[in-house]
Amino acid sequence: MKKAIIINSEIMGKGDDKLGSSLMGNFLRKLWASNDKPDVIAFYNSGVKLLGEGSHVLDALSVLHDQGVELVACGTCIDFYDLNGKLKVGRRTDMVEIVSIMMEAEKVVTI
């Protein structure tokens, strides 16, 4: 694995949550349009909400998944946010795999 992106929040940056939500959507849509994609995107904490029912970025994440980007979500976080059976894209994993992804990647970007 060469490139990994870690998304640990449903919003991008600190400050206004509405702006952060918009920025996250913009980031993921620009990533889907980019020729340079990560091998995997790992989601934890409230970032797992982006993969679930009602997420405003499911279009971008579905396209990224279809383009071969692996999407993995922290199982503990899925349980915490009561998202069992509600993920629309990606798969459940555990922190062991997320640590492995981070340690084995040549480049890790945390959003």
Side-chain angles (χ1 to χ4, degrees), residues 37-74:
K37 295 189 179 38
D39 299 288
V40 61
I41 304 176
F43 299 80
Y44 65 88
N45 209 324
S46 69
V48 300
K49 293 180 179 182
L50 297 173
L51 300 167
E53 290 177 355
S55 167
H56 71 291
V57 296
L58 281 176
D59 60 337
L61 292 173
S62 294
V63 171
L64 285 165
H65 182 262
D66 291 346
Q67 293 173 333
V69 177
E70 188 174 12
L71 306 175
V72 298
C74 165

PDB file of all heavy atoms in Angstrom, residues 37-74:
ATOM      1  N   LYS A  37      -5.158   9.013  -6.608  1.00  0.00           N
ATOM      2  CA  LYS A  37      -6.055   8.582  -5.538  1.00  0.00           C
ATOM      3  C   LYS A  37      -5.308   7.757  -4.498  1.00  0.00           C
ATOM      4  O   LYS A  37      -4.312   7.110  -4.807  1.00  0.00           O
ATOM      5  CB  LYS A  37      -7.190   7.751  -6.123  1.00  0.00           C
ATOM      6  CG  LYS A  37      -8.066   8.586  -7.049  1.00  0.00           C
ATOM      7  CD  LYS A  37      -9.285   7.854  -7.457  1.00  0.00           C
ATOM      8  CE  LYS A  37     -10.173   8.668  -8.349  1.00  0.00           C
ATOM      9  NZ  LYS A  37      -9.561   9.526  -9.322  1.00  0.00           N
ATOM     10  N   PRO A  38      -5.814   7.754  -3.283  1.00  0.00           N
ATOM     11  CA  PRO A  38      -5.210   6.899  -2.258  1.00  0.00           C
ATOM     12  C   PRO A  38      -5.588   5.439  -2.505  1.00  0.00           C
ATOM     13  O   PRO A  38      -6.552   5.143  -3.224  1.00  0.00           O
ATOM     14  CB  PRO A  38      -5.842   7.409  -0.959  1.00  0.00           C
ATOM     15  CG  PRO A  38      -7.195   7.901  -1.394  1.00  0.00           C
ATOM     16  CD  PRO A  38      -6.973   8.496  -2.763  1.00  0.00           C
ATOM     17  N   ASP A  39      -4.848   4.548  -1.889  1.00  0.00           N
ATOM     18  CA  ASP A  39      -5.190   3.131  -1.943  1.00  0.00           C
ATOM     19  C   ASP A  39      -6.333   2.827  -0.977  1.00  0.00           C
ATOM     20  O   ASP A  39      -7.156   1.952  -1.237  1.00  0.00           O
ATOM     21  CB  ASP A  39      -3.970   2.278  -1.581  1.00  0.00           C
ATOM     22  CG  ASP A  39      -2.839   2.507  -2.565  1.00  0.00           C
ATOM     23  OD1 ASP A  39      -2.966   2.048  -3.708  1.00  0.00           O
ATOM     24  OD2 ASP A  39      -1.841   3.164  -2.193  1.00  0.00           O
ATOM     25  N   VAL A  40      -6.343   3.537   0.146  1.00  0.00           N
ATOM     26  CA  VAL A  40      -7.338   3.278   1.180  1.00  0.00           C
ATOM     27  C   VAL A  40      -7.680   4.584   1.902  1.00  0.00           C
ATOM     28  O   VAL A  40      -6.835   5.467   2.036  1.00  0.00           O
ATOM     29  CB  VAL A  40      -6.830   2.213   2.190  1.00  0.00           C
ATOM     30  CG1 VAL A  40      -5.583   2.687   2.898  1.00  0.00           C
ATOM     31  CG2 VAL A  40      -7.893   1.807   3.188  1.00  0.00           C
ATOM     32  N   ILE A  41      -8.940   4.684   2.321  1.00  0.00           N
ATOM     33  CA  ILE A  41      -9.362   5.750   3.227  1.00  0.00           C
ATOM     34  C   ILE A  41      -9.928   5.050   4.456  1.00  0.00           C
ATOM     35  O   ILE A  41     -10.839   4.225   4.347  1.00  0.00           O
ATOM     36  CB  ILE A  41     -10.425   6.682   2.612  1.00  0.00           C
ATOM     37  CG1 ILE A  41      -9.938   7.297   1.302  1.00  0.00           C
ATOM     38  CG2 ILE A  41     -10.795   7.793   3.610  1.00  0.00           C
ATOM     39  CD1 ILE A  41     -10.980   8.154   0.576  1.00  0.00           C
ATOM     40  N   ALA A  42      -9.363   5.361   5.611  1.00  0.00           N
ATOM     41  CA  ALA A  42      -9.815   4.784   6.875  1.00  0.00           C
ATOM     42  C   ALA A  42     -10.586   5.856   7.649  1.00  0.00           C
ATOM     43  O   ALA A  42     -10.136   7.004   7.748  1.00  0.00           O
ATOM     44  CB  ALA A  42      -8.627   4.285   7.695  1.00  0.00           C
ATOM     45  N   PHE A  43     -11.726   5.471   8.176  1.00  0.00           N
ATOM     46  CA  PHE A  43     -12.611   6.383   8.899  1.00  0.00           C
ATOM     47  C   PHE A  43     -12.710   5.946  10.349  1.00  0.00           C
ATOM     48  O   PHE A  43     -12.912   4.763  10.624  1.00  0.00           O
ATOM     49  CB  PHE A  43     -14.017   6.350   8.285  1.00  0.00           C
ATOM     50  CG  PHE A  43     -14.079   6.776   6.856  1.00  0.00           C
ATOM     51  CD1 PHE A  43     -13.736   5.890   5.840  1.00  0.00           C
ATOM     52  CD2 PHE A  43     -14.487   8.053   6.509  1.00  0.00           C
ATOM     53  CE1 PHE A  43     -13.794   6.269   4.506  1.00  0.00           C
ATOM     54  CE2 PHE A  43     -14.552   8.444   5.178  1.00  0.00           C
ATOM     55  CZ  PHE A  43     -14.199   7.555   4.169  1.00  0.00           C
ATOM     56  N   TYR A  44     -12.564   6.899  11.269  1.00  0.00           N
ATOM     57  CA  TYR A  44     -12.809   6.602  12.679  1.00  0.00           C
ATOM     58  C   TYR A  44     -13.438   7.805  13.342  1.00  0.00           C
ATOM     59  O   TYR A  44     -13.621   8.848  12.713  1.00  0.00           O
ATOM     60  CB  TYR A  44     -11.553   6.093  13.405  1.00  0.00           C
ATOM     61  CG  TYR A  44     -10.408   7.053  13.544  1.00  0.00           C
ATOM     62  CD1 TYR A  44     -10.327   7.922  14.625  1.00  0.00           C
ATOM     63  CD2 TYR A  44      -9.377   7.069  12.622  1.00  0.00           C
ATOM     64  CE1 TYR A  44      -9.264   8.785  14.777  1.00  0.00           C
ATOM     65  CE2 TYR A  44      -8.301   7.929  12.763  1.00  0.00           C
ATOM     66  CZ  TYR A  44      -8.246   8.784  13.838  1.00  0.00           C
ATOM     67  OH  TYR A  44      -7.184   9.638  13.976  1.00  0.00           O
ATOM     68  N   ASN A  45     -13.821   7.630  14.600  1.00  0.00           N
ATOM     69  CA  ASN A  45     -14.610   8.609  15.348  1.00  0.00           C
ATOM     70  C   ASN A  45     -15.804   9.028  14.487  1.00  0.00           C
ATOM     71  O   ASN A  45     -16.380   8.196  13.806  1.00  0.00           O
ATOM     72  CB  ASN A  45     -13.745   9.774  15.830  1.00  0.00           C
ATOM     73  CG  ASN A  45     -14.295  10.390  17.113  1.00  0.00           C
ATOM     74  OD1 ASN A  45     -15.500  10.470  17.309  1.00  0.00           O
ATOM     75  ND2 ASN A  45     -13.419  10.809  17.995  1.00  0.00           N
ATOM     76  N   SER A  46     -16.192  10.305  14.498  1.00  0.00           N
ATOM     77  CA  SER A  46     -17.400  10.686  13.765  1.00  0.00           C
ATOM     78  C   SER A  46     -17.214  10.614  12.251  1.00  0.00           C
ATOM     79  O   SER A  46     -18.190  10.732  11.505  1.00  0.00           O
ATOM     80  CB  SER A  46     -17.889  12.075  14.181  1.00  0.00           C
ATOM     81  OG  SER A  46     -17.004  13.077  13.755  1.00  0.00           O
ATOM     82  N   GLY A  47     -16.007  10.382  11.788  1.00  0.00           N
ATOM     83  CA  GLY A  47     -15.774  10.201  10.350  1.00  0.00           C
ATOM     84  C   GLY A  47     -16.569   9.038   9.783  1.00  0.00           C
ATOM     85  O   GLY A  47     -16.937   9.045   8.606  1.00  0.00           O
ATOM     86  N   VAL A  48     -16.869   8.020  10.610  1.00  0.00           N
ATOM     87  CA  VAL A  48     -17.633   6.862  10.122  1.00  0.00           C
ATOM     88  C   VAL A  48     -19.034   7.267   9.664  1.00  0.00           C
ATOM     89  O   VAL A  48     -19.633   6.584   8.835  1.00  0.00           O
ATOM     90  CB  VAL A  48     -17.708   5.718  11.163  1.00  0.00           C
ATOM     91  CG1 VAL A  48     -16.332   5.199  11.524  1.00  0.00           C
ATOM     92  CG2 VAL A  48     -18.478   6.137  12.404  1.00  0.00           C
ATOM     93  N   LYS A  49     -19.551   8.366  10.177  1.00  0.00           N
ATOM     94  CA  LYS A  49     -20.888   8.821   9.779  1.00  0.00           C
ATOM     95  C   LYS A  49     -20.960   9.133   8.282  1.00  0.00           C
ATOM     96  O   LYS A  49     -22.028   9.059   7.684  1.00  0.00           O
ATOM     97  CB  LYS A  49     -21.291  10.064  10.574  1.00  0.00           C
ATOM     98  CG  LYS A  49     -21.505   9.815  12.048  1.00  0.00           C
ATOM     99  CD  LYS A  49     -21.893  11.111  12.736  1.00  0.00           C
ATOM    100  CE  LYS A  49     -22.144  10.939  14.206  1.00  0.00           C
ATOM    101  NZ  LYS A  49     -22.557  12.224  14.821  1.00  0.00           N
ATOM    102  N   LEU A  50     -19.829   9.463   7.686  1.00  0.00           N
ATOM    103  CA  LEU A  50     -19.805   9.799   6.266  1.00  0.00           C
ATOM    104  C   LEU A  50     -20.165   8.608   5.388  1.00  0.00           C
ATOM    105  O   LEU A  50     -20.592   8.783   4.246  1.00  0.00           O
ATOM    106  CB  LEU A  50     -18.424  10.333   5.873  1.00  0.00           C
ATOM    107  CG  LEU A  50     -18.008  11.634   6.555  1.00  0.00           C
ATOM    108  CD1 LEU A  50     -16.564  11.980   6.231  1.00  0.00           C
ATOM    109  CD2 LEU A  50     -18.940  12.779   6.166  1.00  0.00           C
ATOM    110  N   LEU A  51     -20.004   7.394   5.905  1.00  0.00           N
ATOM    111  CA  LEU A  51     -20.280   6.178   5.148  1.00  0.00           C
ATOM    112  C   LEU A  51     -21.721   5.682   5.326  1.00  0.00           C
ATOM    113  O   LEU A  51     -22.123   4.725   4.679  1.00  0.00           O
ATOM    114  CB  LEU A  51     -19.323   5.059   5.587  1.00  0.00           C
ATOM    115  CG  LEU A  51     -17.833   5.345   5.406  1.00  0.00           C
ATOM    116  CD1 LEU A  51     -17.013   4.313   6.155  1.00  0.00           C
ATOM    117  CD2 LEU A  51     -17.468   5.370   3.942  1.00  0.00           C
ATOM    118  N   GLY A  52     -22.476   6.325   6.194  1.00  0.00           N
ATOM    119  CA  GLY A  52     -23.794   5.827   6.566  1.00  0.00           C
ATOM    120  C   GLY A  52     -24.961   6.489   5.856  1.00  0.00           C
ATOM    121  O   GLY A  52     -24.798   7.455   5.102  1.00  0.00           O
ATOM    122  N   GLU A  53     -26.132   5.937   6.144  1.00  0.00           N
ATOM    123  CA  GLU A  53     -27.386   6.472   5.609  1.00  0.00           C
ATOM    124  C   GLU A  53     -27.469   7.971   5.824  1.00  0.00           C
ATOM    125  O   GLU A  53     -27.162   8.472   6.898  1.00  0.00           O
ATOM    126  CB  GLU A  53     -28.576   5.827   6.334  1.00  0.00           C
ATOM    127  CG  GLU A  53     -28.797   4.393   6.029  1.00  0.00           C
ATOM    128  CD  GLU A  53     -29.942   3.791   6.831  1.00  0.00           C
ATOM    129  OE1 GLU A  53     -30.520   4.480   7.702  1.00  0.00           O
ATOM    130  OE2 GLU A  53     -30.241   2.615   6.591  1.00  0.00           O
ATOM    131  N   GLY A  54     -27.890   8.687   4.794  1.00  0.00           N
ATOM    132  CA  GLY A  54     -28.112  10.114   4.910  1.00  0.00           C
ATOM    133  C   GLY A  54     -26.871  10.978   4.768  1.00  0.00           C
ATOM    134  O   GLY A  54     -26.968  12.202   4.832  1.00  0.00           O
ATOM    135  N   SER A  55     -25.714  10.372   4.579  1.00  0.00           N
ATOM    136  CA  SER A  55     -24.481  11.152   4.423  1.00  0.00           C
ATOM    137  C   SER A  55     -24.544  11.991   3.144  1.00  0.00           C
ATOM    138  O   SER A  55     -24.948  11.498   2.087  1.00  0.00           O
ATOM    139  CB  SER A  55     -23.274  10.216   4.366  1.00  0.00           C
ATOM    140  OG  SER A  55     -22.123  10.902   3.924  1.00  0.00           O
ATOM    141  N   HIS A  56     -24.114  13.231   3.253  1.00  0.00           N
ATOM    142  CA  HIS A  56     -24.125  14.134   2.099  1.00  0.00           C
ATOM    143  C   HIS A  56     -22.961  13.880   1.140  1.00  0.00           C
ATOM    144  O   HIS A  56     -22.877  14.533   0.095  1.00  0.00           O
ATOM    145  CB  HIS A  56     -24.113  15.591   2.578  1.00  0.00           C
ATOM    146  CG  HIS A  56     -22.809  16.035   3.169  1.00  0.00           C
ATOM    147  ND1 HIS A  56     -22.347  15.558   4.381  1.00  0.00           N
ATOM    148  CD2 HIS A  56     -21.866  16.878   2.712  1.00  0.00           C
ATOM    149  CE1 HIS A  56     -21.172  16.119   4.636  1.00  0.00           C
ATOM    150  NE2 HIS A  56     -20.863  16.919   3.640  1.00  0.00           N
ATOM    151  N   VAL A  57     -22.092  12.940   1.462  1.00  0.00           N
ATOM    152  CA  VAL A  57     -20.935  12.658   0.601  1.00  0.00           C
ATOM    153  C   VAL A  57     -20.955  11.225   0.056  1.00  0.00           C
ATOM    154  O   VAL A  57     -19.958  10.755  -0.486  1.00  0.00           O
ATOM    155  CB  VAL A  57     -19.597  12.944   1.329  1.00  0.00           C
ATOM    156  CG1 VAL A  57     -19.463  14.414   1.665  1.00  0.00           C
ATOM    157  CG2 VAL A  57     -19.456  12.077   2.569  1.00  0.00           C
ATOM    158  N   LEU A  58     -22.074  10.542   0.160  1.00  0.00           N
ATOM    159  CA  LEU A  58     -22.149   9.165  -0.343  1.00  0.00           C
ATOM    160  C   LEU A  58     -21.859   9.079  -1.837  1.00  0.00           C
ATOM    161  O   LEU A  58     -21.281   8.098  -2.297  1.00  0.00           O
ATOM    162  CB  LEU A  58     -23.513   8.543  -0.041  1.00  0.00           C
ATOM    163  CG  LEU A  58     -23.697   8.034   1.381  1.00  0.00           C
ATOM    164  CD1 LEU A  58     -25.120   7.524   1.572  1.00  0.00           C
ATOM    165  CD2 LEU A  58     -22.686   6.958   1.730  1.00  0.00           C
ATOM    166  N   ASP A  59     -22.247  10.104  -2.593  1.00  0.00           N
ATOM    167  CA  ASP A  59     -21.958  10.091  -4.029  1.00  0.00           C
ATOM    168  C   ASP A  59     -20.456  10.012  -4.269  1.00  0.00           C
ATOM    169  O   ASP A  59     -19.975   9.157  -5.009  1.00  0.00           O
ATOM    170  CB  ASP A  59     -22.566  11.315  -4.725  1.00  0.00           C
ATOM    171  CG  ASP A  59     -22.049  12.656  -4.206  1.00  0.00           C
ATOM    172  OD1 ASP A  59     -21.565  12.738  -3.047  1.00  0.00           O
ATOM    173  OD2 ASP A  59     -22.150  13.649  -4.954  1.00  0.00           O
ATOM    174  N   ALA A  60     -19.707  10.863  -3.607  1.00  0.00           N
ATOM    175  CA  ALA A  60     -18.251  10.890  -3.785  1.00  0.00           C
ATOM    176  C   ALA A  60     -17.614   9.599  -3.286  1.00  0.00           C
ATOM    177  O   ALA A  60     -16.735   9.030  -3.949  1.00  0.00           O
ATOM    178  CB  ALA A  60     -17.650  12.089  -3.059  1.00  0.00           C
ATOM    179  N   LEU A  61     -18.046   9.122  -2.123  1.00  0.00           N
ATOM    180  CA  LEU A  61     -17.454   7.905  -1.571  1.00  0.00           C
ATOM    181  C   LEU A  61     -17.792   6.687  -2.415  1.00  0.00           C
ATOM    182  O   LEU A  61     -16.955   5.807  -2.598  1.00  0.00           O
ATOM    183  CB  LEU A  61     -17.901   7.713  -0.123  1.00  0.00           C
ATOM    184  CG  LEU A  61     -17.354   8.755   0.850  1.00  0.00           C
ATOM    185  CD1 LEU A  61     -17.973   8.587   2.230  1.00  0.00           C
ATOM    186  CD2 LEU A  61     -15.832   8.692   0.923  1.00  0.00           C
ATOM    187  N   SER A  62     -18.989   6.634  -2.968  1.00  0.00           N
ATOM    188  CA  SER A  62     -19.366   5.517  -3.838  1.00  0.00           C
ATOM    189  C   SER A  62     -18.514   5.494  -5.102  1.00  0.00           C
ATOM    190  O   SER A  62     -18.057   4.434  -5.534  1.00  0.00           O
ATOM    191  CB  SER A  62     -20.848   5.600  -4.208  1.00  0.00           C
ATOM    192  OG  SER A  62     -21.646   5.407  -3.061  1.00  0.00           O
ATOM    193  N   VAL A  63     -18.289   6.656  -5.688  1.00  0.00           N
ATOM    194  CA  VAL A  63     -17.448   6.730  -6.884  1.00  0.00           C
ATOM    195  C   VAL A  63     -16.011   6.340  -6.546  1.00  0.00           C
ATOM    196  O   VAL A  63     -15.384   5.568  -7.276  1.00  0.00           O
ATOM    197  CB  VAL A  63     -17.506   8.133  -7.535  1.00  0.00           C
ATOM    198  CG1 VAL A  63     -16.473   8.266  -8.639  1.00  0.00           C
ATOM    199  CG2 VAL A  63     -18.900   8.407  -8.086  1.00  0.00           C
ATOM    200  N   LEU A  64     -15.484   6.849  -5.436  1.00  0.00           N
ATOM    201  CA  LEU A  64     -14.118   6.475  -5.032  1.00  0.00           C
ATOM    202  C   LEU A  64     -14.014   4.967  -4.837  1.00  0.00           C
ATOM    203  O   LEU A  64     -13.055   4.342  -5.294  1.00  0.00           O
ATOM    204  CB  LEU A  64     -13.719   7.220  -3.752  1.00  0.00           C
ATOM    205  CG  LEU A  64     -13.369   8.686  -3.941  1.00  0.00           C
ATOM    206  CD1 LEU A  64     -13.362   9.408  -2.606  1.00  0.00           C
ATOM    207  CD2 LEU A  64     -12.031   8.839  -4.640  1.00  0.00           C
ATOM    208  N   HIS A  65     -15.015   4.378  -4.190  1.00  0.00           N
ATOM    209  CA  HIS A  65     -15.038   2.929  -3.991  1.00  0.00           C
ATOM    210  C   HIS A  65     -15.053   2.205  -5.334  1.00  0.00           C
ATOM    211  O   HIS A  65     -14.302   1.256  -5.556  1.00  0.00           O
ATOM    212  CB  HIS A  65     -16.257   2.550  -3.151  1.00  0.00           C
ATOM    213  CG  HIS A  65     -16.352   1.100  -2.855  1.00  0.00           C
ATOM    214  ND1 HIS A  65     -17.145   0.259  -3.590  1.00  0.00           N
ATOM    215  CD2 HIS A  65     -15.740   0.341  -1.920  1.00  0.00           C
ATOM    216  CE1 HIS A  65     -17.015  -0.974  -3.121  1.00  0.00           C
ATOM    217  NE2 HIS A  65     -16.178  -0.941  -2.108  1.00  0.00           N
ATOM    218  N   ASP A  66     -15.899   2.675  -6.256  1.00  0.00           N
ATOM    219  CA  ASP A  66     -15.987   2.073  -7.587  1.00  0.00           C
ATOM    220  C   ASP A  66     -14.685   2.233  -8.371  1.00  0.00           C
ATOM    221  O   ASP A  66     -14.392   1.419  -9.250  1.00  0.00           O
ATOM    222  CB  ASP A  66     -17.147   2.682  -8.386  1.00  0.00           C
ATOM    223  CG  ASP A  66     -18.512   2.290  -7.824  1.00  0.00           C
ATOM    224  OD1 ASP A  66     -18.592   1.348  -6.999  1.00  0.00           O
ATOM    225  OD2 ASP A  66     -19.505   2.949  -8.207  1.00  0.00           O
ATOM    226  N   GLN A  67     -13.912   3.266  -8.043  1.00  0.00           N
ATOM    227  CA  GLN A  67     -12.623   3.492  -8.700  1.00  0.00           C
ATOM    228  C   GLN A  67     -11.501   2.695  -8.051  1.00  0.00           C
ATOM    229  O   GLN A  67     -10.347   2.826  -8.438  1.00  0.00           O
ATOM    230  CB  GLN A  67     -12.281   4.991  -8.684  1.00  0.00           C
ATOM    231  CG  GLN A  67     -13.209   5.833  -9.537  1.00  0.00           C
ATOM    232  CD  GLN A  67     -12.959   7.325  -9.379  1.00  0.00           C
ATOM    233  OE1 GLN A  67     -12.482   7.808  -8.353  1.00  0.00           O
ATOM    234  NE2 GLN A  67     -13.300   8.076 -10.416  1.00  0.00           N
ATOM    235  N   GLY A  68     -11.830   1.876  -7.059  1.00  0.00           N
ATOM    236  CA  GLY A  68     -10.841   0.988  -6.457  1.00  0.00           C
ATOM    237  C   GLY A  68     -10.238   1.451  -5.154  1.00  0.00           C
ATOM    238  O   GLY A  68      -9.320   0.818  -4.626  1.00  0.00           O
ATOM    239  N   VAL A  69     -10.733   2.548  -4.592  1.00  0.00           N
ATOM    240  CA  VAL A  69     -10.244   3.013  -3.296  1.00  0.00           C
ATOM    241  C   VAL A  69     -10.947   2.196  -2.210  1.00  0.00           C
ATOM    242  O   VAL A  69     -12.180   2.143  -2.167  1.00  0.00           O
ATOM    243  CB  VAL A  69     -10.512   4.523  -3.090  1.00  0.00           C
ATOM    244  CG1 VAL A  69     -10.049   4.962  -1.706  1.00  0.00           C
ATOM    245  CG2 VAL A  69      -9.819   5.339  -4.184  1.00  0.00           C
ATOM    246  N   GLU A  70     -10.168   1.561  -1.352  1.00  0.00           N
ATOM    247  CA  GLU A  70     -10.745   0.785  -0.257  1.00  0.00           C
ATOM    248  C   GLU A  70     -11.207   1.734   0.848  1.00  0.00           C
ATOM    249  O   GLU A  70     -10.468   2.632   1.253  1.00  0.00           O
ATOM    250  CB  GLU A  70      -9.712  -0.203   0.287  1.00  0.00           C
ATOM    251  CG  GLU A  70     -10.272  -1.155   1.282  1.00  0.00           C
ATOM    252  CD  GLU A  70      -9.295  -2.230   1.716  1.00  0.00           C
ATOM    253  OE1 GLU A  70      -8.086  -2.119   1.414  1.00  0.00           O
ATOM    254  OE2 GLU A  70      -9.746  -3.167   2.385  1.00  0.00           O
ATOM    255  N   LEU A  71     -12.431   1.537   1.334  1.00  0.00           N
ATOM    256  CA  LEU A  71     -13.001   2.368   2.392  1.00  0.00           C
ATOM    257  C   LEU A  71     -13.241   1.480   3.603  1.00  0.00           C
ATOM    258  O   LEU A  71     -13.996   0.504   3.508  1.00  0.00           O
ATOM    259  CB  LEU A  71     -14.319   3.003   1.934  1.00  0.00           C
ATOM    260  CG  LEU A  71     -14.278   3.791   0.622  1.00  0.00           C
ATOM    261  CD1 LEU A  71     -15.675   4.252   0.244  1.00  0.00           C
ATOM    262  CD2 LEU A  71     -13.320   4.966   0.714  1.00  0.00           C
ATOM    263  N   VAL A  72     -12.600   1.801   4.721  1.00  0.00           N
ATOM    264  CA  VAL A  72     -12.737   0.987   5.931  1.00  0.00           C
ATOM    265  C   VAL A  72     -13.155   1.875   7.099  1.00  0.00           C
ATOM    266  O   VAL A  72     -12.724   3.019   7.219  1.00  0.00           O
ATOM    267  CB  VAL A  72     -11.443   0.213   6.265  1.00  0.00           C
ATOM    268  CG1 VAL A  72     -11.098  -0.756   5.146  1.00  0.00           C
ATOM    269  CG2 VAL A  72     -10.276   1.129   6.545  1.00  0.00           C
ATOM    270  N   ALA A  73     -14.021   1.318   7.953  1.00  0.00           N
ATOM    271  CA  ALA A  73     -14.572   2.080   9.072  1.00  0.00           C
ATOM    272  C   ALA A  73     -14.342   1.349  10.383  1.00  0.00           C
ATOM    273  O   ALA A  73     -14.541   0.133  10.477  1.00  0.00           O
ATOM    274  CB  ALA A  73     -16.072   2.299   8.864  1.00  0.00           C
ATOM    275  N   CYS A  74     -13.955   2.087  11.397  1.00  0.00           N
ATOM    276  CA  CYS A  74     -13.712   1.561  12.740  1.00  0.00           C
ATOM    277  C   CYS A  74     -14.989   0.951  13.322  1.00  0.00           C
ATOM    278  O   CYS A  74     -16.006   1.634  13.448  1.00  0.00           O
ATOM    279  CB  CYS A  74     -13.219   2.709  13.619  1.00  0.00           C
ATOM    280  SG  CYS A  74     -13.271   2.399  15.383  1.00  0.00           S
TER     281      CYS A  74
END
